[in-house]
Amino acid sequence: VGGVLYETTLSTLRKEESFLSALFSGRYEVAVDEKDGSVFIDRDGVVFRHILNYLRRGRLVISESDTALTAELLDEARFFQISSLVALLQPKK
């Protein structure tokens, strides 16, 4: 993701209905690197770490005072269509 190599399981990527679960559902042809079997996703690789950990743990571990990271993470959660994470990060009205 964005030049950062992550290793995870299909079950983690499919944990919630999202862009990731659809992408790795087997219904779509995904371009896989012939050398190492990786899949490139053109998104922010540093922020994706938090997406992946959220899917693994079912909870988000970031500082509430880090508003820049929260905003970036909300953008990524929207892109990946992870509705539970979007709901968690959206400003409360």
Side-chain angles (χ1 to χ4, degrees), residues 21-38:
S21 65
L23 184 65
F24 294 101
S25 67
R27 296 178 298 207
Y28 303 100
E29 189 172 325
V30 178
V32 176
D33 186 291
E34 293 178 14
K35 290 180 246 161
D36 62 9
S38 64

Side-chain angles (χ1 to χ4, degrees), residues 36-90:
D36 62 9
S38 64
V39 174
F40 178 76
I41 300 174
D42 190 16
R43 298 302 293 181
D44 187 320
V46 175
V47 175
F48 187 75
R49 170 177 85 93
H50 299 287
I51 298 279
L52 197 52
N53 283 332
Y54 176 77
L55 292 172
R56 288 174 174 148
R57 299 175 181 153
R59 62 187 177 92
L60 185 60
V61 181
I62 62 169
S63 171
E64 290 182 23
S65 64
D66 194 339
T67 56
L69 175 58
T70 300
E72 288 180 300
L73 195 48
L74 178 56
D75 286 343
E76 294 302 291
R78 286 180 175 143
F79 175 82
F80 288 111
Q81 301 169 13
I82 304 171
S83 58
S84 64
L85 185 54
V86 170
L88 186 66
L89 292 166
Q90 272 185 162

